[in-house]
Amino acid sequence: MSTIGLYGNAAGIERVLKRVGILEESCWNERGRRWRLGTRTWCGMLSKSVGDSRRQMCPATVLWNPQTPESSDGEDSKRKQRQIFLRVHPSAFLELFNELLRLTKMENPRLYIEDLRFEIGSIELTGPASTEALLAVLTPYSTKDSPKSAHGTLFESLKGLTNP
């Protein structure tokens, strides 16, 4: 999967995301708060305006870089600098990247867009043996100075699980 990074103020990112088709009210009201905090992902079809209609571009997964709940309160949250990551199939990368580049140039203050295809590698494993395959190749790392994290312990507790 190809990854695109978008950086800048939260209000500008919100406007750009709405222009590429993330129009569901549930993303921008209180129900979408956890998504905007970075604890959930949004998956759906992105689209662009063509005249008076919208044309679908590609399916995508959008993830906000995590933020603590305390720092999202108040009026300052719209001006706060945020990051999002968009994951798309490589065949749709160029069209989406060019559309985002066009939209970010219209924003003031300026948003920054970055091609992360060669910085962030990602694969998707699906199917009945996907968890087993992940457990076979990934091992939580710990040292004497730093004990195993809660995430590592949780990951190891998945051994023996057969469903994805």
Side-chain angles (χ1 to χ4, degrees), residues 15-33:
R15 285 190 297 270
V16 168
L17 289 177
K18 285 180 177 178
R19 288 182 189 135
V20 293
I22 304 178
L23 300 168
E24 293 92 15
E25 190 61 35
S26 61
C27 291
W28 307 110
N29 60 17
E30 185 58 30
R31 283 187 67 203
R33 184 178 59 80

Side-chain angles (χ1 to χ4, degrees), residues 27-28 30 48 65 127 148 161:
C27 291
W28 307 110
E30 185 58 30
K48 68 179 180 180
N65 195 4
K148 198 173 291 183
L161 195 61

Side-chain angles (χ1 to χ4, degrees), residues 20 45-50 54-59 95:
V20 293
M45 289 296 289
L46 297 181
S47 60
K48 68 179 180 180
S49 291
V50 178
R54 298 198 68 79
R55 184 179 70 78
Q56 291 187 342
M57 285 190 290
C58 61
E95 181 181 9

Side-chain angles (χ1 to χ4, degrees), residues 127-156:
S130 57
T131 306
E132 188 178 358
L134 278 175
L135 289 168
V137 296
L138 298 177
T139 306
Y141 179 78
S142 62
T143 63
K144 282 191 281 185
D145 299 333
S146 63
K148 198 173 291 183
S149 70
H151 295 297
T153 306
L154 174 66
F155 187 74
E156 285 184 333

Side-chain angles (χ1 to χ4, degrees), residues 21-147:
I22 304 178
L23 300 168
E24 293 92 15
E25 190 61 35
S26 61
C27 291
W28 307 110
N29 60 17
E30 185 58 30
R31 283 187 67 203
R33 184 178 59 80
R34 290 189 295 185
W35 172 60
R36 292 187 310 273
L37 288 176
T39 60
R40 300 284 186 270
T41 62
W42 176 90
C43 296
M45 289 296 289
L46 297 181
S47 60
K48 68 179 180 180
S49 291
V50 178
D52 293 335
S53 62
R54 298 198 68 79
R55 184 179 70 78
Q56 291 187 342
M57 285 190 290
C58 61
T61 301
V62 179
L63 171 70
W64 290 79
N65 195 4
Q67 173 182 330
T68 59
E70 305 86 48
S71 64
S72 66
D73 296 337
E75 287 295 313
D76 235 15
S77 65
K78 289 285 185 188
R79 284 181 283 185
K80 188 173 216 92
Q81 297 295 304
R82 295 295 310 272
Q83 297 177 314
I84 63 163
F85 302 104
L86 296 99
R87 293 182 63 228
V88 297
H89 190 272
S91 64
F93 173 82
L94 189 59
E95 181 181 9
L96 179 61
F97 190 82
N98 288 336
E99 179 68 10
L100 288 171
L101 190 60
R102 184 182 72 79
L103 294 172
T104 56
K105 286 180 180 177
M106 297 185 323
E107 287 296 320
N108 192 7
R110 181 81 190 265
L111 297 178
Y112 299 95
I113 186 171
E114 186 175 12
D115 175 0
L116 298 172
R117 289 179 293 179
F118 302 107
E119 280 77 24
I120 299 176
S122 68
I123 58 172
E124 286 188 21
L125 293 178
T126 58
S130 57
T131 306
E132 188 178 358
L134 278 175
L135 289 168
V137 296
L138 298 177
T139 306
Y141 179 78
S142 62
T143 63
K144 282 191 281 185
D145 299 333
S146 63

